[in-house]
Amino acid sequence: MALVTVTDPARDYLAQLIDKQDVEGMGVRMFVTQPGTKNAETCLAYCPPNEIVPTDEQLDLGKFTLYLDHSSVPFLEEAFVDYSKDQMGGQLTIKAPNAKVPNVSDDAPLPDRVNYILASEINPNLAAHGGEVSLVEIVDESVAVLRFGGGCQGCSAVSLTLKQGVETTLKERIPEITGVRDITDHTNTENAYYQ
């Protein structure tokens, strides 16, 4: 069963929206579009009784049932739904840290663990500069060969990012990693964040 947390304010807010639909047995379906990609988005939608999918996991939230799309379940681990009131009325927040790449166990293959750290911790930071990094391969059983793209390709600060950011994080999170190697062609500076 996926561990999805729906706070009481979020549950109450969603229950109010469901009540306005005036459909007996209406629930909410949670799913991830384009799961496992950098374009993944976590969504909530009304789920009337005639649209219930038998393979979906069901969470009884008291006031309604939350249906978790079966194929999205690995990407919904540790998802969090909250609602907070503000001056404009309120804000429903959905956080699904594993939507872009599902959480992997400590005994998963080394490339899977590296890809998870890149997707969940490193790339969100690089995205602020329009950059990204991807794993090409693991060589010598412990060296991650990486390729930078977007604002990182050709960036004058990429060596600092590689050593103090990417390599440090990978070594801390995955002790088997002994180093990283960048194979990016940095002569192309067209999209570089720093030139």
Side-chain angles (χ1 to χ4, degrees):
M1 178 68 71
L3 177 61
V4 175
T5 302
V6 180
T7 64
D8 289 344
R11 185 198 64 221
D12 295 344
Y13 175 72
L14 291 169
Q16 288 175 359
L17 293 177
I18 290 169
D19 287 344
K20 292 178 184 176
Q21 300 305 304
D22 199 27
V23 175
E24 185 67 32
M26 178 75 81
V28 172
R29 191 158 195 257
M30 188 173 194
F31 57 97
V32 180
T33 61
Q34 300 184 47
T37 71
K38 66 181 181 179
N39 298 317
E41 289 193 33
T42 306
C43 307
L44 295 175
Y46 293 118
C47 185
N50 64 332
E51 293 181 14
I52 295 171
V53 178
T55 57
D56 286 352
E57 293 190 16
Q58 299 180 22
L59 296 177
D60 182 358
L61 297 181
K63 298 181 178 186
F64 63 91
T65 301
L66 178 65
Y67 299 94
L68 305 177
D69 171 63
H70 177 72
S71 61
S72 297
V73 166
F75 302 94
L76 292 173
E77 289 289 334
E78 301 175 16
F80 182 81
V81 182
D82 191 24
Y83 178 79
S84 57
K85 292 186 178 190
D86 60 26
Q87 300 157 336
M88 303 300 287
Q91 170 97 19
L92 185 67
T93 304
I94 306 168
K95 293 183 181 180
N98 299 305
K100 295 184 187 312
V101 64
N103 198 355
V104 294
S105 64
D106 291 339
D107 61 352
L110 188 56
D112 291 352
R113 290 182 285 148
V114 170
N115 280 324
Y116 178 74
I117 298 300
L118 292 176
S120 64
E121 295 184 37
I122 295 171
N123 279 332
N125 292 325
L126 296 178
H129 294 167
E132 64 182 7
V133 64
S134 60
L135 176 68
V136 175
E137 63 182 334
I138 301 287
V139 296
D140 302 329
E141 298 183 12
S142 64
V143 177
V145 178
L146 307 172
R147 177 174 287 121
F148 285 88
C152 291
Q153 183 176 8
C155 179
S156 62
V158 76
S159 60
L160 183 68
T161 300
L162 179 68
K163 290 296 180 189
Q164 292 186 1
V166 178
E167 184 173 46
T168 300
T169 301
L170 285 174
K171 285 176 154 180
E172 284 175 1
R173 304 291 190 277
I174 307 170
E176 298 98 312
I177 293 293
T178 59
V180 297
R181 188 178 307 150
D182 179 12
I183 63 164
T184 310
D185 175 8
H186 289 290
T187 60
N188 180 353
T189 61
E190 185 177 321
N191 295 316
Y193 190 77
Y194 293 112
Q195 294 192 19

